[in-house]
Amino acid sequence: MASPLRTLTACSALALALTACGGDDTSGTVPEVANTSQAAAVESAKAAGAAVIDVRTPEEYAEARVEGATNIDVQASDFDDRIAELDRDTTYVVYCRSGNRSADAAERMREAGLTVVDGGSLEDMAAAGYPME
């Protein structure tokens, strides 16, 4: 039986690959299969108890957030320093308002050696069953 971390990593890689292979659709939508894979990866991360990071601004974070999420603004000058302090043995789920900043944050975090699932938007996280505060 595969470990939860190995399963999560495989789901995350699959979701990233499917998103990258989205084709030439310029309408701004992501193919449905990629959305399904991303949702599965987020649900797997939730089941495994992954830490949640909100990469929006502190003002956005103050308005509404996933319960217990840590705020690390991807647009802040200290983002790379803050993620460098994170535990390399922990799996993280990142989200933002629409999914754009979370994709950027997830890529930068992976480059820093972290295991990360792009949770997409705050709405996606709520749909995956994360409680809001």
Side-chain angles (χ1 to χ4, degrees):
M1 184 166 143
S3 72
L5 182 56
R6 185 171 294 172
T7 302
L8 177 61
T9 302
C11 287
S12 181
L14 177 61
L16 181 61
L18 289 172
T19 301
C21 297
D24 294 333
D25 181 9
T26 57
S27 67
T29 60
V30 178
E32 185 63 33
V33 69
N35 289 337
T36 301
S37 296
Q38 180 182 17
V42 172
E43 288 178 17
S44 292
K46 182 178 186 288
V52 179
I53 298 178
D54 183 322
V55 298
R56 301 174 301 155
T57 66
E59 295 78 18
E60 290 173 300
Y61 176 81
E63 290 176 12
R65 64 191 160 276
V66 169
E67 187 176 287
T70 301
N71 183 221
I72 304 177
D73 183 354
V74 69
Q75 296 173 330
S77 61
D78 67 344
F79 180 78
D80 292 322
D81 293 334
R82 294 207 42 210
I83 63 171
E85 297 172 356
L86 296 174
D87 183 358
R88 297 288 183 265
D89 295 326
T90 299
T91 298
Y92 299 92
V93 177
V94 297
Y95 72 92
C96 63
R97 182 184 53 81
S98 67
N100 292 326
R101 289 176 283 178
S102 66
D104 177 43
E107 180 179 336
R108 289 169 64 183
M109 291 172 74
R110 286 185 195 107
E111 289 172 357
L114 297 166
T115 303
V116 183
V117 173
D118 180 358
S121 69
L122 183 61
E123 186 177 296
D124 293 333
M125 296 291 284
Y130 282 91
M132 299 293 135
E133 59 180 16

